[in-house]
Structure formats: C-alpha cells, structure tokens
Amino acid sequence: MDSSEVPNSNRFPHFSDGDVLVVLSPSNTYHLHARTLRLHSTTFEHMLSDENAARLNNRARRDGVTVRWRVDLKLPDGEAGEANGWGALFPRRLDERGRASSSNVNPDMDNGLLRNPIYKHYDNILRAFYSEPLQFDRKRVHVAMLDCMAVINIAEGLDCVSLISMPVDSALIRFGQELWHAIAQAPVRWANIALGLKSELLYREAVIHLVGRYPGRDSDDPNVAGLDWPQLKPATLELVKHKDKALDLVKRSVETRIMGYYPPKMQSPHVGNANVGPGSVTKRGMGMATRVSVYQKDIFGWMAACLFRHWLGQGLCNDQSRRAADGGWTFYDAIERGSDAYIARDAIENFTHYFPLSAKARSTFEVELGEMKDHIKSYVVALLEKKLHLDVNKTEVRYLTCADIERDDLPWIQARKKKQTRIQDRAAAASSARQGSSLHPHEQDTETSEPTPPRAATGSKRRRLPERPLKQPTGPFQQSDDSTDDVGMPADLRARPRKRSAKEQRGRPSFRPMVARDAREDASGRREAAMASMSAQLGGIRDADDDGESADEEGEEGDDQGGYSDDQVGSGPNFVTTGRPELQELGDDEGFSEDEVDERGEVAYDTADDGVD
C-alpha cells in the first residue's frame, strides 16, 4: 500500500497526521502516531527510532506525505499459537518520498476461505493504544478466553501488557457467571491468563479453585482431578502450596476440637461457676446445688457421645477428613448438614442391635445424638465458606473454597515489594558509604584502630616540644674558631637529624638533646660564657684531632641506638645543643616561638651552670 494514500480522517485506525503506517494485510492498515506507540511499548520505541525514519524530500512534503515509518506483520510459518508464536512486527525502510522498496503483504484470507484470526488480535492491541474498546466474542466465553490468551502473548512480545490489562479484564468480566463457570472448569489456564493480565479478580477466583483441588491432584476423583498442573506458572504453584499448607493447619485444629467435644449439660456445673463447689452439682433447670450427680445418670448422653466418636474415629482412620482427595469437603459437609447426613437411622439400628434399647430409651438416645450434631455444626462453618463469585447453587463445587487470597499474596505485588526493598537497601548502602567517605581521615582511623593520645593545646601557632633530660657529654672537647657555628656552638655537639624513637612517639621521655628552634643574637654571649665555664671545670682537654673524632663516633653510636645508655649518661653535667642544621629541617609547626626560645634557653643554661657547680 502506498504510504501517501492516507484517508482524510482523524479517527482510529486512520489519522491524517499519522507518521507510522502499520500494514497487517491489504485491508488491515493503520495510520498511527509514533509518539503514542513509543509511549506504551519499548518494542515500538526501538523500532520507531530516528535511524529507521525516512528523510522526506520537499516534493513529498508538498504532496502531504506524513508517513516516516512503516511496520509490517510477518505471519508465523505454522498455525497460530504454536511454538513459532503469533507472528511479529518488523520495520521496513522508506525512500525520500515515503514509499517502500517492495510491496509484499499478507493475504486477507487464510487459504482463501477464512480471515486470519491473527489480524483480529493485533487489531485489539492497536486499539488499546488509543483507548478504543476491544473486540471479543460476547456470546462464547471459551472463544473470548482463547482470544485473550492470544492478545496477552502478542502484548508480551511488544512489551505492552500493562496497556491491555484493564481493557481485557473489563471485556471478560462482562460475561458474568459464564466467566466464573469457565474458570471453575479450567482454573490452570485462567490462572495463567490472570497472571499475565495482572487481574486481581480473575486470579483470586482461579487460585481458590486450585487450592481446593490441590489435595486430589494425583487421585482419580473426577471432582478434583483432570487439571494440567505442569502448565501452571511456578509463582502460582508456590502460592497454591502455601495456601494448602495453611488450610491444612486449620482443618487439623477443627478436627481436634470436634474430637474433644462434650455436651455442655453433661459437664460438671461447678466448671466456670464460682458459687458452686466441686463436691456438688446443680440440678438441671434449677439454680440450687444438690447431691444428685446428673452427668453420671445421663447414660443416653454418654451413649450418644460414644457413637459419635466411633463414627469420627473411623473417618479419621480411613482418611475421609483432611487427607481425602476432596480435602475433607464430604466429611465437613456432612457435619454441617447434620440430621441424617451421617449416623443415619440404619447406623442407629445397627448400634441398637448390639446394645438393645426400649422404644422410649431409643427415642431419648436419638434426641441426645441430634443435640450433639446441632452443636458441632458451628465448628465447620468456616471451612465450608464459599469465597467465589461463582453461583454454587447452580454449579456444584465438591471441594473446599475457603482459601483466603489477600492482595499481598499476589505474585506481582510481592515482586513489586521486593523491588522496592532492593531499591531502599541500595539507597541505604549508598547513604552509609557517603557518610563514611565524608569523615575526617583521623576520625576514620579512630573507628578501626586504637585511639592515640591527643596533642596538647597551645596558644601559639607553633607546637611546643616535650621537655627531655639533657644529654651528658662522653668526653672532652675543644672549641676552636673553625669548629663552631655562627652562634658559637661546637661542631661535635651539634644535633644531628634523626628519627623519633618509639618512646618519644608514645609521649614518654627519653635521653635526647633538646633542640631550640632559633637563637637570638643577644643570647650568644651568655651561651659562650657558659660553655667556657664548663670547659674550664672539666679539665683534661685534649687538643688532638683524634680525640675529637672519637667523640664524634661515640655521638653517632648513641644516635643510632635511639638514645644513651645508663653508663654513658653517668653523673656529668647536662647541657643544651642548638645546632643550626636541626633547626632548618623542622617545619613551621615544630620548635618554639621567639619568646619561648629566650625563656627556655636561659633556664636551660642556668640549669647547666648549676650542674657544673
């Protein structure tokens, strides 16, 4: 079909401003909008890209050509619905005038007789893009069901299931009881359809049927068997198993309660009555305590309880209750109906054959048994509740249909919650990572390692060095002009660069020479006088260069060992060295301020003078 042949219309399926031509067959063409198709389908979003669009020339625009994309349907090789699928849409290139290079299209008729049903399925999907009502068979629900399955399969390929979910659901619900009856006949197929549509109403109806028929999945009972369980989706099968297990616990609780039932009138009146003592009982119909033990004399009540437990025990032993193929529906239904539904007159005749009774006694016995049946009816009402939309008065259902399917049990709701949980977990992890990276490096270390002692706070910008004992010289020295620095310090006593010892790093004092940051020029005279006084008192000064070298070697050995030994320290005088090279290697935050140098230098040398004296 020529893309320029656009009907003058603004209604589905032909829009005069449509820029996409969809060709299913010669009589099934659509002029639609690319933005609408891309909005609801990721498949169309990739198919209708700018790379696949035609570059229309000026002549085509003057002729009113608006189509820039063309999409054709490729029919499956075999019959529709087989393994090859329901066909596929693929883009076709257009030239500058909006025309396709070839015009191979599918025939309108299938084998020349009938219209291909695949065209109807694609037509319904394209209608959903423009909120048009879908066309389904309104008289035959099984035909509508097949059409819905085809539409769902095609929508999954186009990634637009959410678009057709509500229209298909609404079209099916219009069938009413015909739909619910069809679900009861094929719950597996309808559960798969409802799961694809994400239809809560249809899915709950199908799952209730599946839970009731699950106990008899391997039996030959026609009421519960005959389902194609392997075709059920795994998510639905897990839900059915979970609900069957929960229902089994309820049935076990009900059977235990029935087994322990005693008529209230046979129980001791003092039970629950604080005004009556345990040694007396209350006579029936009177509010006074007597010495008559009523429950002991009510022989017919005990006989009725014995016969009832006989019947109940046989049903449990023969797996006629919760272990039956129908899940115990026949057993519980008989209890709910009461009267002659179980332990009928023939059973009573057989009982009285072994335990003969008079006509009056038998009548009393039957009355007692009937009262027990009436009391026990209330125990099984919850199990026989019908939670279906199906009218059970017209369609008999011989299995339990009391399963509770909550909205949170639906697979797509659970998947959505899991996705939200994963997103929240990733967001929490990312937030924790950002908080961790924003911490100061010192704060990060304190979280994983032992805390280090804090530095002493100072008012000055420069850090104050800890006070240490003064180093004692190991031998005499000679001061000369060429062996002193510009402040008069002997070269062999200058502080050498070294690493901090382990004791210093832990804040402990060690025998290391104290280093002053800077020396003021007015302090040089005092230092020279102090050094001269010390040299005169020590005596035995050696002038040889060998002695000076040995002193240097001993000083180097002490530095390599990280401090002086006790023998080296001795009891000699202490002094302070202020070598200029050490001062230059310290940073701006190391050492003392100018005021502190003066103060500490004076105190240190005063101490040295005292030691010499």
Side-chain angles (χ1 to χ4, degrees):
M1 179 179 179
D2 192 348
S3 60
S4 62
E5 300 176 2
V6 182
N8 188 12
S9 172
N10 282 319
R11 299 179 59 184
F12 183 87
H14 299 288
F15 295 90
S16 59
D17 59 343
D19 52 359
V20 180
L21 174 62
V22 180
V23 180
L24 304 181
S25 69
S27 60
N28 293 274
T29 59
Y30 304 82
H31 289 86
L32 308 177
H33 304 95
R35 64 180 181 273
T36 303
L37 299 178
R38 287 194 295 251
L39 181 62
H40 301 287
S41 172
T42 57
T43 302
F44 278 124
E45 184 179 1
H46 293 88
M47 193 180 301
L48 305 178
S49 61
D50 293 338
E51 292 78 7
N52 296 330
R55 302 317 191 252
L56 300 179
N57 54 24
N58 294 331
R59 181 179 178 180
R61 292 190 180 93
R62 286 195 302 267
D63 294 339
V65 177
T66 59
V67 175
R68 301 179 59 200
W69 292 273
R70 174 169 172 170
V71 178
D72 288 4
L73 172 63
K74 181 181 178 180
L75 292 175
D77 297 334
E79 296 181 0
E82 294 182 353
N84 55 358
W86 297 91
L89 296 176
F90 67 95
R92 175 169 290 184
R93 291 285 183 177
L94 300 178
D95 57 17
E96 295 179 352
R97 300 192 61 183
R99 296 177 179 178
S101 58
S102 61
S103 58
N104 295 328
V105 295
N106 302 312
D108 287 328
M109 308 300 290
D110 187 9
N111 295 327
L113 298 176
L114 298 176
R115 184 173 181 267
N116 197 318
I118 295 181
Y119 301 153
K120 180 179 63 175
H121 305 327
Y122 278 94
D123 178 77
N124 278 327
I125 291 179
L126 295 177
R127 285 177 177 273
F129 281 93
Y130 290 87
S131 301
E132 293 287 333
L134 306 188
Q135 304 296 326
F136 289 112
D137 193 317
R138 298 188 178 184
K139 295 182 179 180
R140 297 170 295 178
V141 65
H142 65 280
V143 176
M145 179 190 68
L146 297 177
D147 293 342
C148 289
M149 294 181 63
V151 169
I152 293 172
N153 291 329
I154 296 173
E156 289 177 351
L158 296 176
D159 195 13
C160 61
V161 176
S162 59
L163 178 67
I164 56 95
S165 177
M166 290 299 296
V168 173
D169 196 13
S170 300
L172 291 174
I173 292 177
R174 283 198 296 264
F175 284 97
Q177 287 297 319
E178 294 184 27
L179 172 65
W180 310 128
H181 181 76
I183 294 177
Q185 296 296 322
V188 172
R189 181 175 296 181
W190 280 101
N192 294 337
I193 293 175
L195 183 61
L197 291 174
K198 295 181 174 58
S199 173
E200 181 177 349
L201 196 62
L202 302 182
Y203 190 78
R204 181 180 287 110
E205 186 82 4
V207 171
I208 290 176
H209 285 286
L210 292 173
V211 173
R213 299 174 69 169
Y214 185 76
R217 60 192 179 279
D218 298 327
S219 67
D220 297 332
D221 189 345
N223 296 316
V224 295
L227 298 183
D228 194 4
W229 289 97
Q231 297 298 324
L232 191 63
K233 300 292 184 180
T236 305
L237 182 59
E238 290 298 325
L239 177 60
V240 170
K241 291 180 179 179
H242 174 71
K243 292 300 178 179
D244 176 72
K245 185 180 296 185
L247 183 58
D248 185 74
L249 294 177
V250 176
K251 291 186 287 186
R252 181 182 301 178
S253 175
V254 170
E255 292 173 4
T256 303
R257 186 182 178 190
I258 294 175
M259 180 63 75
Y261 171 79
Y262 287 92
K265 66 180 182 180
M266 294 176 55
Q267 301 176 14
S268 176
H270 75 271
V271 177
N273 188 354
N275 298 324
V276 182
S280 61
V281 297
T282 303
K283 190 174 182 180
R284 283 184 253 178
M286 301 179 63
M288 58 179 295
T290 65
R291 296 182 179 179
V292 179
S293 300
V294 177
Y295 67 91
Q296 295 181 1
K297 294 182 175 295
D298 195 355
I299 184 62
F300 300 113
W302 286 107
M303 291 178 66
C306 180
L307 179 58
F308 175 79
R309 284 186 174 77
H310 184 183
W311 173 84
L312 181 63
Q314 283 185 338
L316 296 176
C317 293
N318 295 333
D319 291 336
Q320 296 176 354
S321 57
R322 69 177 186 276
R323 299 183 184 277
D326 59 357
W329 178 86
T330 303
F331 185 79
Y332 304 133
D333 181 69
I335 294 177
E336 197 274 336
R337 288 187 289 122
S339 186
D340 291 338
Y342 66 102
I343 314 180
R345 292 186 176 274
D346 55 347
I348 297 177
E349 289 284 349
N350 190 25
F351 180 80
T352 56
H353 177 74
Y354 292 96
F355 306 96
L357 296 173
S358 64
K360 182 178 179 180
R362 177 175 174 175
S363 177
T364 305
F365 171 72
E366 291 180 356
V367 170
E368 296 285 348
L369 183 61
E371 292 179 356
M372 288 189 64
K373 291 180 180 181
D374 293 338
H375 280 96
I376 294 174
K377 284 182 180 181
S378 60
Y379 292 5
V380 297
V381 170
L383 290 175
L384 296 173
E385 183 179 359
K386 308 294 183 182
K387 296 186 178 181
L388 299 172
H389 292 87
L390 178 67
D391 187 359
V392 294
N393 296 323
K394 297 180 179 179
T395 304
E396 185 179 14
V397 178
R398 301 183 63 85
Y399 47 83
L400 299 180
T401 57
C402 60
D404 288 322
I405 311 298
E406 303 294 339
R407 192 171 189 274
D408 293 339
D409 297 328
L410 304 179
W412 58 90
I413 300 297
Q414 292 183 351
R416 187 185 307 168
K417 288 186 176 181
K418 290 180 180 179
K419 183 178 179 180
Q420 293 175 354
T421 303
R422 289 194 299 267
I423 293 175
Q424 293 174 358
D425 293 343
R426 286 196 294 266
S431 178
S432 300
R434 288 194 298 269
Q435 292 177 1
S437 62
S438 63
L439 293 177
H440 191 274
H442 176 69
E443 297 178 0
Q444 294 181 7
D445 294 340
T446 56
E447 295 180 358
T448 58
S449 59
E450 297 181 358
T452 57
R455 297 179 179 179
T458 59
S460 175
K461 180 179 180 181
R462 298 177 178 177
R463 180 171 56 88
R464 183 185 299 274
L465 293 176
E467 297 184 4
R468 306 179 183 90
L470 301 179
K471 177 180 175 182
Q472 194 175 28
T474 57
F477 61 89
Q478 182 179 3
Q479 181 177 350
S480 60
D481 295 339
D482 58 349
S483 62
T484 59
D485 57 7
D486 55 349
V487 295
M489 179 61 65
D492 56 9
L493 295 180
R494 295 173 187 170
R496 297 177 176 85
R498 58 179 178 81
K499 297 181 179 179
R500 297 181 64 187
S501 64
K503 291 183 178 180
E504 289 176 326
Q505 293 177 0
R506 292 193 297 268
R508 300 179 182 178
S510 64
F511 296 98
R512 290 287 186 182
M514 263 182 11
V515 180
R517 171 70 179 177
D518 295 315
R520 301 178 62 179
E521 293 181 359
D522 57 356
S524 61
R526 290 198 302 270
R527 291 191 182 118
E528 290 178 0
M531 298 304 298
S533 176
M534 292 170 60
S535 300
Q537 295 183 20
L538 288 174
I541 301 175
R542 289 182 255 176
D543 298 331
D545 294 338
D546 297 338
D547 295 340
E549 295 176 357
S550 62
D552 291 339
E553 293 174 357
E554 292 176 355
E556 293 174 357
E557 181 181 358
D559 289 339
D560 295 338
Q561 295 176 357
Y564 291 93
S565 62
D566 295 336
D567 296 335
Q568 290 174 321
V569 173
S571 58
N574 297 329
F575 55 91
V576 177
T577 60
T578 58
R580 180 70 62 183
E582 178 73 9
L583 299 176
Q584 294 177 357
E585 293 186 6
L586 295 174
D588 293 339
D589 58 345
E590 304 284 345
F592 305 94
S593 62
E594 294 180 355
D595 298 337
E596 292 172 341
V597 169
D598 216 359
E599 180 182 356
R600 291 179 62 85
E602 182 179 358
V603 174
Y605 280 103
D606 290 346
T607 305
D609 293 342
D610 294 341
V612 172
D613 294 339

